[in-house]
Amino acid sequence: MYLHRFKSKWKGLQSIVMIESERNIGDKCQTEQRFYVSSLPLDAKAIASAIRQHWHVENKLHWVLDVTFKEDSSRIRREYAAHNLAMMRHLTLNLIKKEPSKMSVPRKRRMAVLHDD
């Protein structure tokens, strides 16, 4: 319906998607709508799979940052400090993951603190 309006602005646009998700916590139900623009053709299964994969990666990254760096506990809010520290955490996590040993991320982080090399 709206696709033709956006095609000129987004090269390769094939679909506009709305996902409605429902989450039950105890006796409370939360419903949320999320919207996506995509270069995938209109195929509900393929689009749903791509969205699930995106959120799997996003949730896994958030979990590692929270467990390893206690990111959710950070009380830093001033100006750009929170954004700058988030970038530093991401950079650090990428460097830790690049290190070839089979140690866990938290252990690699501790080893990095103890040894300059």
Side-chain angles (χ1 to χ4, degrees), residues 65-83:
L65 289 168
D66 190 36
V67 168
T68 307
F69 296 99
K70 308 285 187 249
E71 192 170 60
D72 286 349
S73 301
S74 176
R75 311 238 337 130
I76 297 166
R77 305 279 186 271
R78 194 167 182 178
E79 297 176 3
Y80 293 102
H83 178 74

Side-chain angles (χ1 to χ4, degrees), residues 1-106:
M1 180 159 112
Y2 297 104
L3 195 58
H4 66 279
R5 293 183 189 172
F6 296 104
K7 276 199 168 213
S8 63
K9 294 181 182 184
W10 278 311
K11 191 173 183 143
L13 178 66
Q14 294 290 315
S15 53
I16 297 175
V17 181
M18 185 211 47
I19 298 288
E20 186 170 278
S21 61
E22 187 176 290
R23 187 170 114 168
N24 296 303
I25 301 173
D27 60 344
K28 293 186 179 181
C29 180
Q30 293 177 330
T31 303
E32 179 181 86
Q33 291 180 338
R34 292 188 302 273
F35 296 87
Y36 302 87
V37 292
S38 175
S39 60
L40 294 173
L42 284 173
D43 177 351
K45 284 185 179 183
I47 291 171
S49 176
I51 291 170
R52 273 192 231 92
Q53 185 177 8
H54 165 78
W55 284 107
H56 171 75
V57 170
E58 194 69 30
N59 290 335
K60 187 175 177 183
L61 173 64
H62 176 76
W63 183 85
V64 170
L65 289 168
D66 190 36
V67 168
T68 307
F69 296 99
K70 308 285 187 249
E71 192 170 60
D72 286 349
S73 301
S74 176
R75 311 238 337 130
I76 297 166
R77 305 279 186 271
R78 194 167 182 178
E79 297 176 3
Y80 293 102
H83 178 74
N84 291 341
L85 282 173
M87 287 178 48
M88 293 301 292
R89 288 184 197 109
H90 283 200
L91 174 67
T92 303
L93 181 59
N94 287 334
L95 289 171
I96 286 171
K97 284 185 171 184
K98 202 169 179 176
E99 197 276 326
S101 73
K102 299 294 182 193
M103 289 185 281
S104 68
V105 171

Side-chain angles (χ1 to χ4, degrees), residues 99 111-112 114-117:
E99 197 276 326
M111 294 299 286
L114 298 173
H115 305 286
D116 288 340
D117 57 330

